[in-house]
Amino acid sequence: MDVLSDVLSRAHARGALFGRWLLSAPWGLEFDDGQLPLSLHTVLSGELTCEREGSAARVRQGDLVLVQGGRYRFVHAPGAAAQPVSAVLAAGPAPGTPRTYLLGGAGHHTELLCGAYAFDGGLWPALLATLPEVTVVGSAGDRSLSTLLALLAEEIRGGGPGQQTVLDRLLDLLLVAALRVHWSAAGTAAPGWFSALSDPVAGPALHALHEEPARSWTIADLAERAGVSRATLARRFSLLMGQPPLAYLTGWRMELAKDALENTGVTVASVARTVGYADEFSFGAASKREVGIAPGRYRTRRSVPGAAPQGA
């Protein structure tokens, strides 16, 4: 188990929305994904410009674009006019196709695949916080990513029984592959845990904490996993992660707890045991100390639309 696997195993795609666009210049699409935390788009042929809040990025064949929820535009050329995606979708797909849409004139062609990621669980904000609003990832030179893109294109062009399940799982795999490529690129500000995973000292400890977050870990236990002294582990882990191992564990337990508390069918006592506390009293004390609110009050506030979970 590692951080990315842990997050995505709890925050996976469900009923992801997909569309295939056959576009001919001049064309422009305006997206408003305010209710969707993440969208993934890939250009199978041609190219386009992605515009958002005064910035623009050119996206070419084989590129994948990760866009966090909000308003943005895909256009054939910078500054081109765009129409709302909702209006085009309302007109329906091309005859004889369930997911293919046509738009534009008689100019150069672009084939675009769009997938909107609807997450389960409450851990996805931690993942999105590691990314800019728009991320362009090139698939050239990465066999895993290019293979997944080819499989996605084949599935969405063809279809068949169980297609939604296939698309959901492909989107999960595509997101992992894209994040690997993005964070491995030179000059990219990867999250500390991504670098720590491959570190010979911090990596084994980080894996252990995610494999068994409820275990009563000590620095000595984690140092033994890494095969180093306690001082070496503490120093290296803190350098890469920005905090000591047990502080990281406490923070991660709180994230797991908040995710579980959003499931109203689980008792606070059960959540406490799941994340490593003997009873709900010790769990409540830790929750107040770390996030400033008792577990029961967190659940109540999360059940009220627009309520903030912070505060005493």
Side-chain angles (χ1 to χ4, degrees):
M1 183 66 74
D2 60 58
V3 183
L4 186 57
S5 298
D6 208 352
V7 171
L8 290 181
S9 69
R10 305 169 193 272
H12 55 79
R14 55 170 178 79
L17 308 174
F18 278 91
R20 176 188 178 217
W21 297 84
L22 299 181
L23 307 161
S24 301
W27 62 268
L29 290 170
E30 183 173 58
F31 296 79
D32 188 354
D33 292 345
Q35 302 302 313
L36 296 167
L38 185 68
S39 296
L40 284 75
H41 309 271
T42 184
V43 176
L44 297 181
S45 63
E47 56 184 350
L48 58 84
T49 295
C50 174
E51 298 178 337
R52 180 168 186 167
E53 297 176 351
S55 64
R58 196 64 179 167
V59 186
R60 296 175 173 80
Q61 180 174 330
D63 287 349
L64 180 72
V65 189
L66 309 179
V67 187
Q68 296 199 39
R71 189 180 298 275
Y72 57 97
R73 304 164 77 249
F74 285 166
V75 290
H76 77 280
Q83 56 183 301
V85 167
S86 57
V88 183
L89 293 177
T97 70
R99 301 176 186 264
T100 298
Y101 299 86
L102 308 177
L103 181 66
H108 62 267
H109 301 286
T110 296
E111 182 178 4
L112 176 69
L113 294 185
C114 300
Y117 218 113
F119 287 106
D120 278 328
L123 294 176
W124 54 265
L127 176 63
L128 297 186
T130 65
L131 295 171
E133 289 187 337
V134 177
T135 305
V136 179
V137 181
S139 65
D142 187 272
R143 184 175 180 181
S144 296
L145 186 53
S146 58
T147 297
L148 288 170
L149 289 174
L151 287 172
L152 177 61
E154 181 179 352
E155 180 64 30
I156 204 169
R157 286 167 177 164
Q163 185 186 59
Q164 185 63 61
T165 299
V166 174
L167 292 174
D168 285 352
R169 300 292 72 79
L170 280 174
L171 191 61
D172 280 335
L173 294 171
L174 193 61
L175 179 58
V176 174
L179 292 176
R180 282 177 175 174
V181 172
H182 172 62
W183 285 329
S184 298
T188 299
W193 55 259
F194 185 77
S195 301
L197 287 173
S198 58
D199 185 79
V201 175
L206 190 57
H207 281 285
L209 294 176
H210 279 267
E211 286 170 359
E212 300 180 85
R215 177 172 166 175
S216 298
W217 289 103
T218 65
I219 294 295
D221 294 332
L222 296 171
E224 183 178 355
R225 284 289 186 101
V228 297
S229 69
R230 288 176 294 177
T232 298
L233 172 66
R235 182 169 56 251
R236 185 64 179 170
F237 194 99
S238 297
L239 176 65
L240 293 176
M241 298 295 294
Q243 58 185 325
L246 299 187
Y248 174 82
L249 174 60
T250 299
W252 182 241
R253 284 175 171 176
M254 291 299 108
E255 291 299 322
L256 296 179
K258 288 188 289 185
D259 185 52
L261 287 167
E262 293 184 18
N263 178 357
T264 56
V266 181
T267 66
V268 172
S270 176
V271 173
R273 291 190 295 272
T274 299
V275 298
Y277 293 93
D279 51 53
E280 60 184 291
F281 301 105
S282 57
F283 171 44
S287 179
K288 289 180 182 179
R289 183 177 62 251
E290 297 298 324
V291 299
I293 189 171
R297 292 193 66 190
Y298 175 85
R299 168 174 283 170
T300 300
R301 292 191 179 190
R302 290 296 293 181
S303 67
V304 179
Q310 290 76 26

